[in-house]
C-alpha cells in the first residue's frame, strides 16, 4: 500500500513539474514570437557577444533581462577544450604504437 502511494506521489509531482516547464517554455515562445511579429524585433533571447577583450552573455526574456561578463568562464571552457583535444591526440598516438592495433586495421 505504501509503495502505491509513493509511486502516485512521484508521478503526480513529475507530471506537475513537466506541466510547469512546458508552461514557462510556452510563455517564452509566445513572448518572442509576438515581439518578432508585432514589433519587428529580431533580437535573440540569449546572445553571447565575444570580443577580443571580453565575453558577455545577454538574456532578454519576458521584458526583463540583463548582461553579464563571462570572460573567466569562456577562458576556462577554452582551456578545458584544449586539454581534451590534447588528451585525444596523445591517446591516438599511444594506440598507434601498440602492435596489436596495427593487426586489426
Amino acid at each position: 500500500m505504501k509503495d502505491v502511494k509513493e509511486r502516485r506521489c512521484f508521478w503526480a509531482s513529475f507530471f506537475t513539474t513537466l506541466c510547469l516547464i512546458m508552461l514557462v517554455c510556452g510563455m517564452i515562445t509566445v513572448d518572442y514570437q509576438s515581439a518578432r511579429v508585432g514589433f519587428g524585433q529580431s533580437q535573440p533571447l540569449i546572445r553571447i557577444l565575444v570580443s577580443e577583450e571580453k565575453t558577455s552573455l545577454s538574456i532578454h526574456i519576458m521584458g526583463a533581462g540583463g548582461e553579464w561578463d563571462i570572460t573567466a568562464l569562456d577562458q576556462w571552457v577554452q582551456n578545458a577544450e584544449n586539454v581534451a583535444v590534447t588528451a585525444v591526440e596523445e591517446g591516438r598516438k599511444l594506440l598507434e604504437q601498440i602492435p596489436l592495433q596495427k593487426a586489426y586495421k
Side-chain angles (χ1 to χ4, degrees):
M1 184 72 173
K2 185 178 179 184
D3 185 41
V4 173
K5 282 186 178 182
E6 288 178 358
R7 205 176 319 152
R8 188 179 301 156
C9 288
F10 168 77
W11 286 113
S13 62
F14 177 78
F15 182 72
T16 304
T17 303
L18 188 63
C19 287
L20 287 173
I21 290 171
M22 289 174 52
L23 175 70
V24 169
C25 289
M27 289 173 60
I28 290 171
T29 302
V30 167
D31 177 57
Y32 175 74
Q33 295 296 338
S34 63
R36 186 180 63 83
V37 171
F39 305 112
Q41 295 178 351
S42 61
Q43 180 180 1
L45 299 175
I46 300 172
R47 180 173 51 185
I48 298 176
L49 301 171
V50 180
S51 64
E52 290 185 15
E53 58 270 351
K54 77 174 203 170
T55 304
S56 63
L57 172 69
S58 176
I59 299 177
H60 296 286
I61 298 175
M62 306 284 292
E67 189 170 326
W68 297 274
D69 183 20
I70 58 168
T71 306
L73 177 65
D74 185 39
Q75 290 173 350
W76 184 85
V77 168
Q78 287 178 357
N79 290 339
E81 182 181 7
N82 290 338
V83 167
V85 168
T86 304
V88 168
E89 289 173 355
E90 293 298 321
R92 275 198 194 123
K93 288 178 186 176
L94 287 174
L95 285 175
E96 288 174 357
Q97 294 175 357
I98 298 174
L100 291 176
Q101 189 70 14
K102 292 179 182 176
Y104 290 110
K105 285 187 178 179

